[in-house]
Amino acid sequence: MQTTETRTTTEPLTAHPSADASPLAVTLVLGSNRHGRFGPVVADWLLDRMRDHDDLDPEIMDVAEADLPTTFEPSAAALAARSSVTPRLAAADAFVVLTPEYNHSFPAGLKNLIDWHYTEWRAKPVALVSYGGLAGGLRAAEHLRQVFAELHAVTIRDTVSFHNAGTSFDEGRLKDPAGPDAAAKVMLDQLVWWGRALREARAVRPYAG
């Protein structure tokens, strides 16, 4: 009778010796440029959660400060505006996009920033955080998934959303942080996994999609 020997091991999994263990450069895109916007309040909370994560090195990019024209004409003004935006997107290993919901979708200023770029998003992970009224901005987040899929980016499955966001914060602080803090940890842990995996993959074999 032929038998099959099953080998087992209790040795822990270790990182590949060539893996890059440095923190991920993550750009938080603040997606609203409306007067009186609530986004900065959520962004401050989110940046604190990102800074608590040892695997992340965050910076913020504010759509309101990007000043990109909507004509897509490569004028001197457009190239000057891109010079302060594009290199920062290109240098990022991953992104967190913070969006409100306007008329069941995300803001025009955010779409404009996305559309001005292509290779900067490719083969990189994007986490989505939304805020709004009863829907919590989730419809805007789902629309962004379609956009980033077209750009060959990978959106993170888990999100963070704030329903009736204006009543969730008091003087810039969450009234009940337990749920959002737990959701942010899950999302950022997933972002780190995808960020490291895709960074290593791009280093071994440049993405040609």
Side-chain angles (χ1 to χ4, degrees):
M1 178 182 295
Q2 193 174 32
T3 60
T4 302
E5 181 181 357
T6 302
R7 299 181 63 187
T8 60
T9 179
T10 57
E11 293 180 4
L13 294 175
T14 57
H16 190 279
S18 63
D20 183 355
S22 62
L24 294 168
V26 181
T27 295
L28 168 59
V29 179
L30 176 49
S32 173
N33 59 358
R34 278 195 175 185
H35 174 71
R37 61 187 178 160
F38 192 73
V41 175
V42 183
D44 286 344
W45 168 84
L46 188 54
L47 276 172
D48 284 343
R49 304 289 75 72
M50 295 168 72
R51 289 168 179 149
D52 288 341
H53 212 299
D54 293 338
D55 295 315
L56 300 177
D57 181 16
E59 73 156 9
I60 191 165
M61 176 176 293
D62 191 341
V63 166
E65 298 174 359
D67 199 25
L68 291 166
T70 58
T71 61
F72 298 101
E73 178 187 1
S75 63
L79 295 176
R82 285 195 63 181
S83 68
S84 63
V85 175
T86 304
R88 294 164 62 193
L89 295 179
D93 296 310
F95 302 95
V96 177
V97 175
L98 172 61
T99 183
E101 183 176 313
Y102 299 158
N103 299 322
H104 283 216
S105 195
F106 55 94
L110 175 56
K111 185 64 160 62
N112 194 46
L113 173 72
I114 294 170
D115 288 349
W116 264 106
H117 300 91
Y118 181 65
T119 58
E120 292 78 10
W121 308 111
R122 289 195 306 173
K124 296 179 182 179
V126 180
L128 301 171
V129 179
S130 64
Y131 61 95
L134 290 175
L138 289 173
R139 289 170 293 209
E142 291 308 307
H143 287 180
L144 280 167
R145 290 191 191 279
Q146 299 175 57
V147 173
F148 281 116
E150 180 64 18
L151 294 169
H152 299 254
V154 178
T155 54
I156 301 303
R157 187 265 185 194
D158 284 71
T159 64
V160 179
S161 61
F162 291 95
H163 304 257
N164 297 316
T167 63
S168 299
F169 289 81
D170 183 20
E171 296 185 354
R173 294 184 176 275
L174 275 171
K175 295 178 181 178
D176 183 6
D181 285 356
K185 183 181 186 309
V186 170
M187 181 191 72
L188 293 175
D189 285 349
Q190 292 178 8
L191 185 69
V192 167
W193 190 95
W194 280 104
R196 291 196 184 282
L198 290 173
R199 181 171 67 180
E200 292 166 14
R202 292 194 308 272
V204 172
R205 184 178 296 107
Y207 185 72

